[in-house]
C-alpha cells in the first residue's frame, strides 16, 4: 500500500467505490421486482421449492392472466420436492380459480395426506366443499380447522355450512366467534 502513490490510491479507491455502487444498484433493481427476484433465486438455487412457489406467487400478483405459467412453476416446485405442501395448496388455488374444482379438491386432499395439520389447505378445502355442496364433509373439515386456527374465513364458511345443514344455533355461534375476531366484518353482522 505504501508503494502506491497517494494519487494512485485515490483512483483505486474511487474505482472500488464505483464498482460497489454499480453492484448495489443492480441488486436494488432486482429487489424492486418480485418476479425478477424469485426468478434469480430459482436460477441460483434450483433445488429450493420455496423459490419456485414464491416465483409463481409473484407471477400471479403481477398479472393474473399468467396463471398457466404460474401452474408450470408450481409443478416444478413439486418436482423438486413432492412433499412441499405450500406448492400443492397454491396449485389447487389456481385450479379452483380456473374452474377445475375437482382437480383442486384432489390437490388439496393430496396436500393433507402429506401434512394433515396444514391449516391453509384444510381451510381452502373447507371453502371448496361448502361451495360444491358437500356440507357434511365441509362441516367436519371446518370444525377441525376452527379448533386449531379460528380464522375469519374458516368461521364464515363454517357458518354457511351450518346454515345449509339447518343448524342455525351452530351457525350463530360461529358468527359470534367471527365477530369476536373482527367486529367490523359486515357479512357476519347481517
Amino acid at each position: 500500500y505504501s508503494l502506491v502513490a497517494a494519487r494512485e490510491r485515490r483512483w483505486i479507491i474511487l474505482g472500488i467505490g464505483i464498482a460497489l455502487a454499480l453492484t448495489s444498484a443492480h441488486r436494488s433493481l432486482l429487489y424492486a421486482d418480485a418476479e425478477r427476484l424469485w426468478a434469480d433465486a430459482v436460477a441460483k438455487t434450483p433445488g429450493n421449492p420455496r423459490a419456485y412457489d414464491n416465483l409463481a406467487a409473484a407471477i400471479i400478483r403481477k398479472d393474473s392472466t399468467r396463471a398457466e405459467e404460474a401452474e408450470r412453476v408450481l409443478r416444478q416446485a413439486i418436482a423438486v420436492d413432492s412433499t412441499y405442501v405450500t406448492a400443492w395448496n397454491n396449485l389447487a388455488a389456481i385450479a379452483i380459480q380456473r374452474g377445475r374444482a375437482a382437480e383442486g379438491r384432489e390437490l388439496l386432499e393430496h396436500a393433507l395426506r402429506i401434512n394433515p395439520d396444514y391449516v391453509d389447505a384444510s381451510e381452502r378445502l373447507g371453502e371448496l366443499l361448502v361451495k360444491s355442496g358437500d356440507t357434511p364433509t365441509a362441516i367436519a373439515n371446518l370444525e377441525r380447522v376452527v379448533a386449531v386456527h379460528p380464522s375469519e374465513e374458516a368461521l364464515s364458511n363454517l357458518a354457511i355450512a351450518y346454515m345449509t345443514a339447518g343448524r342455525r344455533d351452530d351457525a350463530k355461534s360461529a358468527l359470534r366467534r367471527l365477530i369476536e375476531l373482527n367486529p367490523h366484518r359486515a357479512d357476519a353482522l347481517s
Side-chain angles (χ1 to χ4, degrees):
Y1 187 75
S2 63
L3 298 175
V4 179
R7 186 174 182 188
E8 291 171 352
R9 279 193 298 253
R10 279 188 230 137
W11 284 109
I12 292 170
I13 292 170
L14 179 62
I16 291 171
I18 290 171
L20 290 173
L22 289 173
T23 301
S24 179
H26 174 72
R27 292 302 289 175
S28 292
L29 287 174
L30 186 63
Y31 285 109
D33 180 354
E35 183 179 351
R36 285 180 49 201
L37 173 69
W38 289 109
D40 183 61
V42 164
K44 290 179 178 167
T45 57
N48 182 350
R50 183 180 301 152
Y52 291 97
D53 185 56
N54 286 322
L55 175 57
I59 288 168
I60 291 290
R61 259 187 254 112
K62 193 179 217 180
D63 181 359
S64 62
T65 65
R66 294 171 59 199
E68 192 172 311
E69 182 181 352
E71 266 190 79
R72 282 193 305 273
V73 172
L74 287 167
R75 291 190 189 284
Q76 288 175 299
I78 290 166
V80 166
D81 181 355
S82 63
T83 65
Y84 190 65
V85 291
T86 306
W88 288 99
N89 184 50
N90 291 335
L91 187 58
I94 291 173
I96 293 164
Q97 184 262 334
R98 297 186 82 195
R100 301 188 322 258
E103 178 186 348
R105 182 175 178 164
E106 288 173 19
L107 292 165
L108 291 168
E109 289 171 345
H110 183 84
L112 291 169
R113 280 192 298 277
I114 295 168
N115 181 356
D117 298 324
Y118 185 49
V119 172
D120 292 347
S122 292
E123 191 171 0
R124 181 166 280 133
L125 179 60
E127 180 180 1
L128 178 64
L129 293 168
V130 167
K131 288 179 179 175
S132 68
D134 189 351
T135 304
T137 309
I139 289 172
N141 184 74
L142 288 166
E143 285 176 340
R144 279 192 309 276
V145 170
V146 167
V148 178
H149 180 72
S151 71
E152 290 181 44
E153 288 308 307
L155 285 164
S156 176
N157 285 315
L158 182 58
I160 292 167
Y162 282 147
M163 286 299 291
T164 303
R167 295 171 56 181
R168 293 179 54 87
D169 289 341
D170 290 329
K172 286 179 186 177
S173 176
L175 290 173
R176 274 193 289 279
R177 289 183 67 193
L178 173 55
I179 291 168
E180 288 173 10
L181 284 177
N182 182 356
H184 305 290
R185 180 83 187 241
D187 63 334
L189 298 172
S190 53

